[in-house]
Amino acid sequence: MDAEELSACLRQYGLQARRAARPLPGGHVGSTVVVPTSQGPLAVKRFGGRFDAARTRLAAEAHQFAAISGLAPPVRLTLSGELTTEINDATYMITEYIDPACPPELTDFAVALAALHVRLEGFRPDGHCADFLELSDPSALGLERVLRRTQDKACREVVEWRMRILADYGLGSQTVATTHHSWIHGDARPDNLLTTTCTAGRHLFIDFDQVSRFPRPYEVVRGYVAFVGPELPAHLVDSTFRSYLGAYLAVMPISAADRALMVDLYITVQAAETRTFTTPEGEIRGMHAFARARHQQLTWIIEHRDLLHRVAEEVRP
């Protein structure tokens, strides 16, 4: 975001930058900068054209809902009392900037995620917004159409890999549809959890852009995979998943039926979800590195699928 647009945004809040803004890394769907103001450093998030008004409003409402319980940085309201403001066809949201003091531990992440899920049980947004992670039927025919149009070797490998996974573990969209849906963060990973002090253990979630109604066990497994990564040695898979899931269950229960499903649900969603990589016309987007990382995560979790299944069924809080 340029300085002129940022200044126009700050004026909607009665604010003025004292020094140049500093961009924060990360994110595929927006940009965030830290701006020193007379009221302290603030984080300004810009939602691009991928987000319509309903989606940005939902993200802001969910963030503010979590912030009221001390689970996210507080949202600043505009001078007119709105959660967001629009400048030049982009939507902005301003929150308090909190500098993370240290990276979260695995069990801290699990406890923070469970606390957020408990809080989101009461989330009732003002407006309707379609599920961000809602999946169409991931039929092989649709992927074959994408494959025929794709010349890039790396992209073809990703699509072919996804098709093989669907053939082996295709729980299909019906399983997603019949599993209980709850509000989830949608992008719960270590980068989106701020540990503000190593002693008091205050943990704050940010980036609610992908908040959605979806089966909660999916996000629990997704958070674990995002935290440990495919580099985790095989001999640590059992102990880390056991401690992670046990810490989560101590705060937020998951039924035995959902725990039996959670690993395959994650595999199916990650394998079938093509929206990140394809346009509505079926063309691969230019996100090859991200697609490659997804490929590696799927390879890793399928390798340890049986072990993770067993731990999910055995673990107790």
Side-chain angles (χ1 to χ4, degrees):
M1 62 186 82
D2 59 43
E4 181 178 348
E5 195 165 357
L6 181 58
S7 295
C9 172
L10 291 173
R11 284 197 294 272
Q12 303 298 315
Y13 295 82
L15 299 169
Q16 186 174 4
R18 285 191 160 184
R19 294 189 300 278
R22 172 171 61 89
L24 292 179
H28 297 285
V29 293
S31 58
T32 303
V33 298
V34 176
V35 185
T37 72
S38 60
Q39 298 184 30
L42 300 174
V44 180
K45 185 173 183 64
R46 181 183 191 272
F47 298 91
R50 180 177 175 182
F51 286 80
D52 58 20
R55 166 53 51 183
T56 54
R57 175 74 185 184
L58 180 65
E61 283 187 54
H63 187 125
Q64 182 74 321
F65 187 78
I68 292 172
S69 298
L71 299 174
V75 177
R76 283 294 184 101
L77 300 181
T78 66
L79 292 175
S80 59
E82 297 296 320
L83 288 169
T84 62
T85 187
E86 293 186 15
I87 305 291
N88 297 341
D89 299 324
T91 304
Y92 291 81
M93 182 178 77
I94 294 184
T95 62
E96 304 294 325
Y97 175 68
I98 299 175
D99 196 16
C102 61
E105 298 291 338
L106 179 61
T107 53
D108 291 338
F109 179 82
V111 170
L113 180 60
L116 180 64
H117 285 170
V118 170
R119 173 62 177 161
L120 290 177
E121 283 285 283
F123 183 48
R124 302 289 185 273
D126 291 338
H128 171 75
C129 185
D131 285 1
F132 191 66
L133 295 174
E134 187 176 5
L135 302 176
S136 58
D137 184 11
S139 65
L141 178 62
L143 292 176
E144 287 172 354
R145 177 173 60 85
V146 175
L147 194 63
R148 286 196 300 271
R149 296 184 179 187
T150 303
Q151 302 301 318
D152 183 83
K153 180 180 178 182
C155 289
R156 289 182 65 86
E157 289 179 357
V158 171
V159 175
E160 289 170 349
W161 179 250
R162 194 177 297 131
M163 291 173 67
R164 288 197 297 272
I165 293 172
L166 284 173
D168 292 340
Y169 304 108
L171 302 180
S173 58
Q174 188 62 29
T175 299
V176 177
T178 56
T179 305
H180 178 69
H181 285 44
S182 305
W183 284 106
I184 64 171
H185 181 280
D187 194 21
R189 52 189 173 87
D191 291 349
N192 285 335
L193 181 67
L194 306 179
T195 301
T196 59
T197 168
C198 293
T199 54
R202 188 180 180 210
H203 306 295
L204 303 175
F205 276 98
I206 58 174
D207 287 353
F208 286 76
D209 312 351
Q210 298 181 44
V211 64
S212 177
R213 287 190 61 79
F214 210 68
R216 190 166 289 149
Y218 160 79
E219 180 155 78
V220 177
V221 178
R222 185 184 190 274
Y224 169 75
V225 175
F227 198 102
V228 300
E231 300 81 14
L232 182 72
H235 70 277
L236 295 178
V237 175
D238 185 309
S239 60
T240 56
F241 190 52
R242 194 176 296 274
S243 61
Y244 168 82
L245 191 53
Y248 179 95
L249 293 174
V251 179
M252 184 69 172
I254 302 177
S255 70
D258 283 351
R259 281 188 279 118
L261 174 71
M262 63 195 307
V263 176
D264 279 348
L265 179 62
Y266 171 81
I267 290 173
T268 301
V269 173
Q270 293 295 295
E273 199 277 309
T274 61
R275 186 180 301 172
T276 302
F277 305 117
T278 59
T279 67
E281 293 74 32
E283 300 295 336
I284 296 289
R285 299 183 192 273
M287 298 175 64
H288 304 321
F290 189 60
R292 177 62 58 189
R294 176 74 62 86
H295 186 154
Q296 292 171 344
Q297 286 181 334
L298 285 168
T299 303
W300 180 85
I301 198 167
I302 289 173
E303 178 184 353
H304 300 291
R305 173 178 176 263
D306 292 342
L307 171 60
L308 293 170
H309 263 307
R310 177 170 56 78
V311 172
E313 293 177 349
E314 293 176 352
V315 72
R316 297 291 181 272

